[in-house]
Amino acid sequence: LLSLCHAEEAAVIVSGLRSTDVFVGESATFTCELSHPGVKNVQWWLDGTPLHNNLVTEISEQDGRIHTLTLNDVACHDSGTVTFRAGPLISSAKLLVKGISLLA
């Protein structure tokens, strides 16, 4: 007989953020998967600045376990470290926004 004790069991990060390279004007997506839902205080950051859901920044959650951040229409100054925090859990990855060289 299996006992369901997810409430007492601490969630862990199953799949962390991956560093991403994109070109200016593209969108960058970061995904973090947790072992189970219900983790409180979920927050995304870019270089220490908290991110909020808006036209440029899309923050979504699926089944309470898969957390996704999409940064739309990125610019060179968006390059930096993206951090996902869920309670005591932290995952970080680099975002590199590459300019398009006109000297081909």
Side-chain angles (χ1 to χ4, degrees):
L1 185 69
L2 291 174
S3 64
L4 298 173
C5 59
H6 282 307
E8 301 86 36
E9 197 180 308
V12 295
I13 293 174
V14 176
S15 172
L17 304 184
R18 290 190 178 85
S19 293
T20 303
D21 292 11
V22 293
F23 286 105
V24 168
E26 293 183 339
S27 58
T29 300
F30 294 87
T31 302
C32 191
E33 184 180 343
L34 303 179
S35 56
H36 47 268
V39 180
K40 302 281 184 263
N41 303 327
V42 171
Q43 178 69 61
W44 289 91
W45 309 76
L46 176 58
D47 272 349
T49 303
L51 298 174
H52 302 285
N53 224 351
N54 56 39
L55 289 172
V56 183
T57 308
E58 294 176 34
I59 297 171
S60 63
E61 180 183 303
Q62 191 181 335
D63 302 329
R65 297 187 321 114
I66 299 170
H67 297 266
T68 304
L69 167 70
T70 301
L71 300 171
N72 294 309
D73 195 21
V74 294
C76 287
H77 66 258
D78 291 320
S79 292
T81 302
V82 172
T83 304
F84 170 80
R85 183 180 245 155
L89 306 174
I90 296 178
S91 180
S92 294
K94 294 280 186 202
L95 169 62
L96 176 62
V97 180
K98 298 182 279 196
I100 297 167
S101 173
L102 299 176
L103 304 171

